[in-house]
Amino acid sequence: MFKRSLVVLLLLAVLVSACAAPTAAPTQAKAFRIAVVMPSATTDMAFSQSMWNALVTIQKEMGGEAALEIKYSENMFNVPDAATAIRDYASQGFDVVIAHGSQYGSSVQEIAKDFPKTTFAWGTDVNTFGMPNVYAYTAAAEEGGYVNGVLAAKLTKSKTIGVTGPVEVGDAKTYIDGFVQGVAAVDPTIKVSKTWTGSFSDVALMTEAAKTHIAAGADILTGSSQSVVGSIGAAKDAGNVLWFGTQQDQASLAPNLVVASQVYDWTGMLREIIASNKAGTLGGKTYTLHLSNDGLKIAYNSGYALPADVKAVGDKAIADIISGAVKVEP
Amino acid sequence: MPLEVNEKTARTHRIDWAGIFVNLLLPLAGILMALLIGAIMLIILKVNPLTAYAELVKGAFGSASGITQTLVKATPLLLVGLGICIAFRASVINIGGEGQIIAGAIAATWWPLTFRTWPGWILLPTTLIVGFAAGAAWGFIPGILKARLKVNEILSTVMMNAIAIQTMNLLIRSVLMDPAGVTAGTYLAQSERLPEQVWLVRLVPQTLLHAGSLIAVVLAVLVYIFLWRTTLGYRIRAVGFNPEAARFSGINVPFNQALALTLAGGFSGIAGAIEVLGVQHRLLEGITGGYGFSGIVAALFGGLHPLGTIPASILFGALLVGGDSMQRAVQVPNSLISAILGLVVLFVVGSALWTRRWTAKRQIAAMKKGEGQL
Amino acid sequence: MSELLQVSVIVGILTSAIRLATPYLYAAIGETFAQSSGVLNLGVDGIMLVSAYASFFVVLHTGNLWLGLLAAIIVGLLMGLLMSFISVTLKAEQGISGIGLYMFGLGLSSLLFKTTIGTVKTVTGFQPVKIPLLGDIPFLGKIFFNQSLLVYGAFLLVPIAWWVLEKTTWGLKIKSVGQNPAAADSLGVSVDRVRYVSVCLGAILAGIAGASLSISLLNLFQDNLTAGQGFIAVALVYFGGWRPVGVLWGAMLFSIVNAFQLWVQVLGVKIPSDVAIMLPYLLTIAALAITTNRGRQPAALNKPFERGES
């Protein structure tokens, strides 16, 4: 009896405080506000982190939190939850809401209708649904894949290269397809083996896949997804296996063995979106990160002594893709 | 087996209001205790717990968006939970919900895409049936393995979950992949959008609340009737209550356990189908949303009673939705929400001891008053 | 296909399998103790995650691998105590308290990782140690005797666990409490105490399983590092019929097929990768389906014990 009433009292206390507590912190005057919803963690060393890093960079550029307010929700792999988050941020009056996951598409399509004054940016995809306040963005990952492939083909001594992938979809697929084309362009006799672990997060299996490639003779590895940190670890254990990365600069994980990483640099796109929003244009465009627009960068690792002639070949590949002399199929 | 539900009242068809009250109140006490520990973690992260929890309550109940989202989340929890009720009452532990949801979701995608010219009034019901059947098949396999070959269902369902995920990966990147993604060169991990006539109608504009929630409630009532008003349902409960006694009275225990697992699979399959038809309108990665596991929590919060699972799913759904809202408002990491939810489960389930003792005392008092047997 | 039958490939598969099996062995044998005393602990994955984080954090800051291992053991013990308290003292529904523990462990490990480390880093963990003489045996030496200390530990655990369960009074108590707690209770065995010890032992071993990932095999920590391996470990207990040797068979079967399917992919055999990935799971079910020696499920498994109930 007593216990029950105690519980009821506690419950009432919580509800009362709910009414008494302030509704929301007053927003900074004139700060630009961006919210981002991501399917994995900001620390994933891959897709989500690339956007997070870009936002943090832009924030510093603009003058810190007083100039740019950023709110985020990570690990939103449940799409209806993400939809709620997107809608919630929009109704809180954020200027730009970034839906950083291809699975959020239908949510954006529905929600953008209800918030005509908010800019929605979603990726990776190319569809803006014909709405004036929606941007779509994607990365032509196959381009950087091609360049990495060219470099790898030049550096491999065993003529065997291993690719450790998660699931053959999205930019994991396009990156690897580009990589294979790059290798073939230099030397079609080089053997490129691909393994897929069936998961984006299974680091143990990814590590073992990498070790299997190494045992089968690969002296260069590449791959995609957050679990690829395991492959880098395997390369480190082997001591002399080189790594090519994507989505993020992965040099910090193996300072002597990472040759280069394709980096997704969203800052250019973000700058444009912010500027356009301030000028009154809220969407209607598709952004694709290319080598040509600096959205994709090949970050050579200074910790690895890349021979100058090899680097020249890599740079030429970059230039060729930019000029259109070389076309990479996704 | 849990004694939360008053068997005597169930048989005499009276609704046990006091029992329901205690069964809901004690879990609430557990939730509050967990939130207290969560408050400590919040303080360490320099967040005011009162503000944070206020956001939690507001997020779940304070707006049309919040309430509808709570109900949207509660729907698959309820459906999976119904299956768990059936399985648990036959003493079968079904942790294959994730795989069964996927099976139902795959079927509910492939069927309308194949028969896309059919009118909605045929296509929608048949899709739901196909979704149920696929989930049921995914539950049947562990069921028959248990019945015939004594393969433990925890092992088989864990394995079947992994197999389902890979099956979905295979289909989604080949035959079921959205043609638009292929032409655009994006190769997204999703299927084509389903034809509109098979979409579950949205109940409240500008929200995700869809007719599937009503279907789930109807099914909950049907499951209640099945378990308590049919012979088959009685047999399933008898098997769980006392397998030896059931065997002696001629009930085929393995068959009924396999049946329970099959039905549980079917309900999880419907959960998958409804997520596809009502929320996503296509098959995509992450369709399960972890409901295969959280549905178990909802069922147990509801005392393993189909009708009790309704408020339990809503409550658990509210916690999930409110938790996310709290995360957005005070910007704590999402992982803190997950940790707090884990504590909630631990405390609620730990408090059940007192519910049981209360129920037991009541039954003894009833016996003393001569109101019949236990 | 014939490439798969080359000696170097077989050596590669077995070496991989030994590595892959290590966390499963620790966690599953730990769970065998817990289940033999009658307690189902589905929270193994959560324990593995928090311990993996803890040991990684300690090694990251001190460089001392043994301190890291100790951290994992302590974390395992603490979480084991929590699970025991809820399942044994509070007599809660064990399946769901396990899931709650998993959710808590998953959230806590991610939270701590994010707030105290913040980005993926690597450490130098337990390195492979060659056993003198044995390590030089052709083929076998490379597979079995060139692994890290934690790997050796996992395999040594099998005979040790067998000996404890079969040949000591303590093991007898554990099994009797799992088969017939009422009888054990009437003989003066403290059912609760035995279960506490078994669950905590299981949790400590799960903690070492986590450490084997973060400071030995993978040498890093990331969100959800275990990706569900704890649940596979629990499933393997059923496969092994609650006997350490059976668990060893299960862990090796699963890991060998897993290593095999990776080689299948690397060698370019034309089978869809998703089907290859399914193989370990399919074969584990198939293997259990055709085995006849099933082992006896502890009769009191998943049933809380209250004196006065039977």
Side-chain angles (χ1 to χ4, degrees):
Chain A
M1 213 58 232
F2 171 78
K3 220 186 289 188
R4 224 183 283 177
S5 30
L6 188 65
V7 165
V8 171
L9 271 173
L10 274 169
L11 197 55
L12 281 172
V14 171
L15 286 171
V16 163
S17 69
C19 306
T23 42
T27 48
Q28 306 266 28
K30 294 298 161 222
F32 198 82
R33 308 175 68 208
I34 300 184
V36 60
V37 176
M38 302 178 279
S40 52
T42 58
T43 56
D44 69 355
M45 265 285 169
F47 185 63
S48 293
Q49 188 165 352
S50 67
M51 180 57 81
W52 178 249
N53 287 348
L55 283 166
V56 169
T57 308
I58 297 277
Q59 186 180 48
K60 264 197 244 165
E61 243 179 53
M62 286 176 66
E65 275 196 50
L68 174 62
E69 181 192 344
I70 303 175
K71 275 201 178 170
Y72 73 97
S73 294
E74 59 183 349
N75 285 320
M76 296 263 102
F77 50 84
N78 183 317
V79 179
D81 288 347
T84 310
I86 296 170
R87 185 176 284 278
D88 199 12
Y89 283 131
S91 58
Q92 283 180 33
F94 277 82
D95 301 296
V96 177
V97 179
I98 303 178
H100 191 58
S102 51
Q103 59 268 58
Y104 304 150
S106 16
S107 313
V108 171
Q109 191 175 12
E110 287 186 21
I111 298 171
K113 270 187 291 188
D114 301 332
F115 296 94
K117 298 222 201 75
T118 310
T119 294
F120 292 88
W122 81 288
T124 54
D125 202 292
V126 295
N127 192 350
T128 65
F129 311 116
M131 290 195 203
N133 60 339
V134 173
Y135 288 108
Y137 58 85
T138 185
E142 65 276 7
E143 290 183 7
Y146 186 92
V147 177
N148 278 356
V150 162
L151 291 165
K154 283 263 153 210
L155 288 173
T156 174
K157 300 191 182 67
S158 66
K159 301 273 181 235
T160 307
I161 300 180
V163 175
T164 54
V167 184
E168 198 172 1
V169 289
D171 61 348
K173 175 179 163 64
T174 54
Y175 168 74
I176 289 173
D177 285 348
F179 184 86
V180 169
Q181 288 171 61
V183 173
V186 169
D187 182 353
T189 65
I190 295 179
K191 182 157 177 278
V192 181
S193 283
K194 295 188 251 180
T195 56
W196 304 95
T197 55
S199 150
F200 287 88
S201 57
D202 194 340
V203 181
L205 197 57
M206 189 62 94
T207 308
E208 223 34 70
K211 292 197 166 158
T212 309
H213 282 294
I214 296 173
D219 62 349
I220 297 192
L221 295 175
T222 189
S224 172
S225 88
Q226 65 194 71
S227 55
V228 103
V229 293
S231 308
I232 302 178
K236 248 176 122 182
D237 281 347
N240 54 0
V241 172
L242 302 176
W243 174 261
F244 285 87
T246 182
Q247 291 177 332
Q248 261 283 100
D249 187 351
Q250 295 169 337
S252 59
L253 288 174
N256 321 334
L257 298 172
V258 176
V259 178
S261 310
Q262 167 178 228
V263 177
Y264 288 2
D265 188 352
W266 305 103
T267 53
M269 175 189 93
L270 286 172
R271 272 186 222 108
E272 245 198 69
I273 290 180
I274 294 176
S276 306
N277 178 289
K278 287 186 176 166
T281 305
L282 299 178
K285 196 173 150 196
T286 302
Y287 288 96
T288 307
L289 296 186
H290 286 290
L291 289 169
S292 53
N293 61 9
D294 247 5
L296 294 178
K297 295 196 170 74
I298 304 294
Y300 292 104
N301 176 16
S302 52
Y304 175 77
L306 185 62
D309 58 321
V310 176
K311 183 163 188 297
V313 176
D315 289 338
K316 177 165 186 303
I318 297 176
D320 281 344
I321 294 176
I322 293 178
S323 68
V326 166
K327 285 219 181 312
V328 190
E329 295 304 313
Chain B
M1 284 317 288
L3 296 173
E4 279 90 335
V5 175
N6 189 325
E7 291 288 354
K8 172 198 73 152
T9 330
R11 236 177 279 133
T12 59
H13 312 315
R14 276 206 320 262
I15 296 185
D16 184 14
W17 290 113
I20 291 178
F21 187 60
V22 169
N23 274 298
L24 283 184
L25 202 59
L26 271 160
L28 273 172
I31 292 173
L32 285 171
M33 301 252 53
L35 293 182
L36 264 155
I37 299 192
I40 299 177
M41 295 202 276
L42 283 166
I43 293 176
I44 295 180
L45 287 172
K46 302 205 183 58
V47 173
N48 178 341
L50 287 177
T51 326
Y53 288 140
E55 291 294 333
L56 191 151
V57 175
K58 252 185 32 191
F61 298 121
S63 63
S65 164
I67 297 179
T68 52
Q69 186 59 14
T70 299
L71 294 173
V72 166
K73 279 206 95 71
T75 305
L77 289 174
L78 174 58
L79 287 166
V80 173
L82 289 175
I84 301 289
C85 285
I86 301 178
F88 248 70
R89 284 195 178 266
S91 245
V92 176
I93 303 182
N94 178 24
I95 44 181
E98 293 281 298
Q100 293 145 11
I101 293 176
I102 290 178
I106 292 177
T109 306
W110 170 81
W111 182 265
L113 286 178
T114 311
F115 299 112
R116 63 181 76 205
T117 50
W118 289 9
W121 63 272
I122 303 182
L123 197 53
L124 180 53
T126 48
T127 306
L128 288 172
I129 294 174
V130 164
F132 182 90
W138 215 254
F140 174 74
I141 297 174
I144 195 87
L145 285 172
K146 180 182 168 78
R148 287 302 186 82
L149 296 170
K150 306 248 188 312
V151 175
N152 181 277
E153 72 274 17
I154 288 193
L155 182 142
S156 48
T157 49
V158 167
M159 300 288 146
M160 294 291 285
N161 282 346
I163 295 173
I165 293 176
Q166 295 311 317
T167 307
M168 184 175 86
N169 279 345
L170 176 58
L171 292 173
I172 233 178
R173 68 178 183 86
S174 57
V175 292
L176 282 183
M177 186 176 256
D178 191 351
V182 178
T183 19
T186 49
Y187 297 102
L188 297 182
Q190 62 186 29
S191 75
E192 200 182 330
R193 208 164 198 209
L194 294 185
E196 285 197 31
Q197 72 266 30
V198 87
W199 295 7
L200 285 168
V201 74
R202 292 278 162 86
L203 297 175
V204 178
Q206 295 187 12
T207 68
L208 290 168
L209 186 59
H210 56 87
S213 309
L214 298 173
I215 297 178
V217 174
V218 168
L219 286 174
V221 176
L222 288 177
V223 170
Y224 168 72
I225 295 175
F226 169 74
L227 281 177
W228 271 276
R229 314 279 178 107
T230 68
T231 339
L232 197 49
Y234 174 76
R235 287 207 204 114
I236 286 181
R237 284 186 300 123
V239 163
F241 204 67
N242 192 334
E244 285 311 309
R247 201 190 322 262
F248 278 139
S249 51
I251 297 179
N252 185 340
V253 173
F255 168 79
N256 279 288
Q257 287 185 322
L259 178 64
L261 206 41
T262 308
L263 289 172
F267 280 98
S268 296
I270 291 200
I274 282 187
E275 283 297 292
V276 167
L277 296 176
V279 179
Q280 309 290 355
H281 302 150
R282 57 167 31 116
L283 177 69
L284 43 73
E285 238 194 271
I287 190 84
T288 66
Y291 294 127
F293 289 112
S294 37
I296 302 179
V297 177
L300 273 139
F301 277 16
L304 288 173
H305 192 288
L307 297 180
T309 310
I310 300 177
S313 316
I314 295 177
L315 183 62
F316 197 58
L319 277 173
L320 293 169
V321 170
D324 274 353
S325 177
M326 176 173 111
Q327 185 277 321
R328 283 191 293 279
V330 298
Q331 291 285 289
V332 287
N334 286 74
S335 43
L336 174 64
I337 314 288
S338 173
I340 294 183
L341 281 175
L343 285 173
V344 166
V345 172
L346 285 171
F347 273 95
V348 169
V349 101
S351 69
L353 178 66
W354 286 280
T355 320
R356 278 208 300 276
R357 292 218 170 124
W358 178 87
T359 315
K361 268 196 233 159
R362 218 159 143 260
Q363 287 177 330
I364 292 174
M367 266 170 61
K368 286 204 183 127
K369 281 210 295 211
E371 267 175 45
Q373 72 281 48
L374 268 166
Chain C
M1 262 320 262
S2 58
E3 313 137 317
L4 282 162
L5 295 175
Q6 279 177 324
V7 176
S8 58
V9 173
I10 296 182
V11 169
I13 292 177
L14 290 173
T15 320
S16 272
I18 302 253
R19 279 194 297 261
L20 282 169
T22 301
Y24 293 124
L25 274 173
Y26 279 117
I29 291 188
E31 178 74 3
T32 302
F33 276 103
Q35 289 199 12
S36 295
S37 76
V39 179
L40 168 69
N41 181 3
L42 284 178
V44 172
D45 207 56
I47 302 176
M48 285 170 73
L49 280 168
V50 185
S51 313
Y53 159 80
S55 52
F56 180 78
F57 182 82
V58 168
V59 171
L60 188 65
H61 287 274
T62 67
N64 187 329
L65 296 173
W66 296 103
L67 266 181
L69 190 61
L70 182 64
I73 292 176
I74 294 177
V75 167
L77 177 61
L78 289 173
M79 292 185 79
L81 282 170
L82 177 60
M83 180 65 182
S84 315
F85 178 66
I86 297 195
S87 304
V88 178
T89 307
L90 295 185
K91 306 185 201 306
E93 188 66 47
Q94 291 163 14
I96 183 173
S97 54
I99 292 186
L101 192 67
Y102 163 65
M103 290 164 68
F104 176 62
L106 178 61
L108 185 65
S109 58
S110 296
L111 182 65
L112 289 170
F113 172 64
K114 192 188 181 72
T115 49
T116 63
I117 303 181
T119 187
V120 178
K121 297 189 180 145
T122 55
V123 292
T124 313
F126 286 94
Q127 296 299 310
V129 171
K130 187 167 116 163
I131 297 192
L133 288 182
L134 290 174
D136 289 316
I137 304 176
F139 308 123
L140 289 182
K142 189 146 169 265
I143 300 171
F144 293 109
F145 303 113
N146 263 296
Q147 305 276 7
S148 88
L149 287 173
L150 288 185
V151 174
Y152 294 137
F155 286 85
L156 282 172
L157 188 58
V158 177
I160 295 176
W162 170 83
W163 184 77
V164 170
L165 277 173
E166 297 297 322
K167 299 285 181 197
T168 65
T169 358
W170 191 253
L172 192 59
K173 283 188 190 163
I174 294 178
K175 288 193 294 183
S176 67
V177 158
Q179 286 296 347
N180 194 337
D185 181 51
S186 65
L187 288 172
V189 175
S190 164
V191 172
D192 281 6
R193 186 144 69 98
V194 171
R195 285 183 170 174
Y196 257 83
V197 172
S198 309
V199 170
C200 287
L201 180 59
I204 289 175
L205 287 170
I208 300 182
S212 76
L213 286 172
S214 67
I215 58 173
S216 179
L217 295 168
L218 308 177
N219 296 316
L220 55 85
F221 186 83
Q222 197 187 52
D223 257 27
N224 195 16
L225 185 71
T226 55
Q229 286 178 318
F231 289 98
I232 307 279
V234 174
L236 289 175
V237 175
Y238 293 90
F239 184 96
W242 297 273
R243 289 176 312 232
V245 175
V247 168
L248 176 66
W249 284 127
M252 286 313 295
L253 171 68
F254 188 80
S255 303
I256 288 178
V257 180
N258 226 348
F260 171 78
Q261 65 92 358
L262 285 174
W263 274 94
V264 162
Q265 292 194 53
V266 167
L267 293 175
V269 176
K270 289 266 176 274
I271 154 178
S273 59
D274 333 78
V275 175
I277 296 162
M278 276 190 228
L279 285 175
Y281 303 96
L282 286 167
L283 285 171
T284 306
I285 299 184
L288 192 60
I290 57 181
T291 335
T292 41
N293 191 355
R294 221 29 83 61
R296 223 166 29 138
Q297 170 162 327
L301 182 58
N302 202 15
K303 297 191 178 82
F305 173 66
E306 206 152 357
R307 198 173 275 147
E309 290 175 18
S310 63

